Amino acid sequence: MTKFILKRIFMACITIFIITFAVFVVIQLPPGDYVDTIVTNMIAEGETVTQDEVELLKEMYGVDKPILEQYFSWLTGIFKGDWGISFYYNQEVLSKIGEVLGNTLLLSFVTMLFTYLVSIPIAIYAAKHQYSIGDYIFTFIGFLGMAIPNFLFAIVLMFASYKWFGKPLMGLFPEGGITSWASFVDFLSHLIIPIIVIGTGGTCSLIRIVRAQMLDEQEKPYVLCTRAKGVSESTITYKYAMRSVLNPIVAGLGPMISNIFTGSTITAIVLMLPTQGPILLKALQSQDVYLSGGILLISATLVVLGTLLSDILLAVLDPRIKHMEESK
């Protein structure tokens, strides 16, 4: 088991290294750089900028160097704890990311809890009551939840909250922050729409996966034999069938983290959430290489760690995976 975990950790480190290079290069693929953005804005405001001043600005921001030199300088700085200075915000990247990372992780964690707590019971019910009215309703909701775009769903729910409560539930924190029990309840009410919007896609997808897996398990010989021996349906479901159903649930942990992070970007802009989404968009628009690279690096690292965790959990849940890896 130790060999398996060490191998997975080594592969995760290699993956993160490749991702850092890909992220840094892809960010710089659009023509121009941050200095070009500054110069364009200065000219639009009627100022005159000479070529010497442009060269001086490029040297000051370090964008005059080759991409590889910029990349290794950025990577070395990360290992030393220096993630660079955000061009757009004129602030340390780690400090800027730290302002919103907690909110992003909180929202992602609660959304993930919502996804698992809602989808698994519904999927088990739908599988145990196949072709019932409840099964048809949840299947329809599943198709609807996967098809509707997050930004459109957010706008619909904001309109509904305005109609029902007299105000659209936008933002994340109440005015003045959380200072009392009433403000904490207000904060919880602001969590409802983001969690539903971001979590609906993953929830509906997981319902379909778990339902299909549960239906497949119910027809296997060992289940029919267990049922013939008089074992109760709840024991068959939760003690035997759920062991196989857990595999796709755990395997989907990494992709789910990725979907929540990328899905929250658009939703955060629509709902005006203080998360990494709006900052990442502004960083990409202004070609703020270090800030956008830092946010994408943290997102990719969390996804890789989620995948690593799911691999280890799968090996624990299914000994066949561990034996297969050890026999290689």
Side-chain angles (χ1 to χ4, degrees):
M1 189 66 180
T2 305
K3 180 183 175 184
F4 173 78
I5 294 175
L6 290 176
K7 183 180 177 183
R8 282 291 183 271
I9 292 176
F10 175 74
M11 291 175 65
C13 293
I14 297 295
T15 304
I16 290 175
F17 176 74
I18 295 174
I19 288 174
T20 60
F21 181 75
V23 164
F24 197 87
V25 171
V26 169
I27 289 173
Q28 304 213 35
L29 283 181
D33 49 40
Y34 181 69
V35 171
D36 293 330
T37 305
I38 294 178
V39 172
T40 303
N41 292 335
M42 292 173 69
I43 293 175
E45 293 172 358
E47 298 183 30
T48 304
V49 185
T50 64
Q51 186 60 35
D52 292 338
E53 290 173 332
V54 172
E55 297 297 331
L56 189 62
L57 283 172
K58 286 183 179 290
E59 184 180 353
M60 184 176 72
Y61 285 105
V63 295
D64 59 332
K65 301 174 184 174
I67 289 182
L68 277 180
E69 188 176 342
Q70 292 183 47
Y71 166 71
F72 283 110
S73 174
W74 174 63
L75 194 62
T76 306
I78 288 176
F79 283 117
K80 294 178 180 177
D82 178 14
W83 289 44
I85 303 294
S86 166
F87 298 154
Y88 184 80
Y89 293 98
N90 193 25
Q91 185 179 352
E92 287 189 1
V93 169
L94 270 184
S95 173
K96 189 62 189 176
I97 294 176
E99 292 177 1
V100 295
L101 185 61
N103 299 335
T104 306
L105 292 177
L106 171 68
L107 191 58
S108 300
F109 178 72
V110 178
T111 304
M112 192 177 299
L113 276 181
F114 166 82
T115 300
Y116 282 115
L117 292 178
V118 172
S119 61
I120 294 176
I122 290 177
I124 293 175
Y125 172 83
K128 300 298 292 183
H129 301 81
Q130 190 181 18
Y131 303 136
S132 65
I133 295 177
D135 182 28
Y136 284 124
I137 291 175
F138 288 128
T139 301
F140 174 73
I141 293 175
F143 279 120
L144 195 64
M146 292 176 64
I148 187 169
N150 279 358
F151 73 91
L152 181 61
F153 195 22
I155 292 172
V156 170
L157 290 183
M158 278 195 300
F159 177 76
S161 66
Y162 176 75
K163 281 292 184 184
W164 291 339
F165 304 110
K167 61 176 182 179
L169 293 177
M170 300 173 66
L172 197 58
F173 296 101
E175 292 183 8
I178 303 175
T179 56
S180 62
W181 176 253
S183 59
F184 178 69
V185 173
D186 192 19
F187 162 69
L188 293 180
S189 69
H190 280 78
L191 278 176
I192 295 174
I193 291 181
I195 290 173
I196 292 176
V197 172
I198 300 171
T200 296
T203 302
C204 295
S205 175
L206 197 57
I207 287 174
R208 293 172 55 79
I209 293 172
V210 174
R211 177 183 177 276
Q213 187 73 22
M214 183 64 78
L215 287 174
D216 186 49
E217 286 298 314
Q218 288 184 150
E219 299 300 326
K220 288 190 174 177
Y222 80 91
V223 173
L224 299 177
C225 181
T226 309
R227 188 175 290 133
K229 289 183 177 180
V231 179
S232 66
E233 283 296 323
S234 61
T235 303
I236 293 174
T237 301
Y238 296 106
K239 186 176 180 180
Y240 300 112
M242 276 302 292
R243 288 184 179 178
S244 299
V245 174
L246 283 177
N247 282 8
I249 294 175
V250 174
L253 184 62
M256 183 174 294
I257 294 176
S258 172
N259 290 335
I260 289 174
F261 259 89
T262 54
S264 65
T265 302
I266 304 300
T267 306
I269 295 169
V270 175
L271 294 175
M272 299 175 64
L273 301 178
T275 58
Q276 51 87 24
I279 293 179
L280 175 60
L281 178 64
K282 185 60 70 178
L284 291 173
Q285 285 177 334
S286 60
Q287 292 187 297
D288 192 340
V289 177
Y290 297 133
L291 180 58
S292 53
I295 293 175
L296 292 174
L297 174 59
I298 291 176
S299 302
T301 303
L302 289 174
V303 173
V304 172
L305 289 178
T307 306
L308 174 65
L309 180 62
S310 68
D311 285 348
I312 295 174
L313 289 176
L314 277 176
V316 173
L317 292 171
D318 192 346
R320 292 174 299 179
I321 297 175
K322 183 179 67 176
H323 293 318
M324 186 170 61
E325 289 291 335
E326 290 177 349
S327 63
K328 289 182 179 178

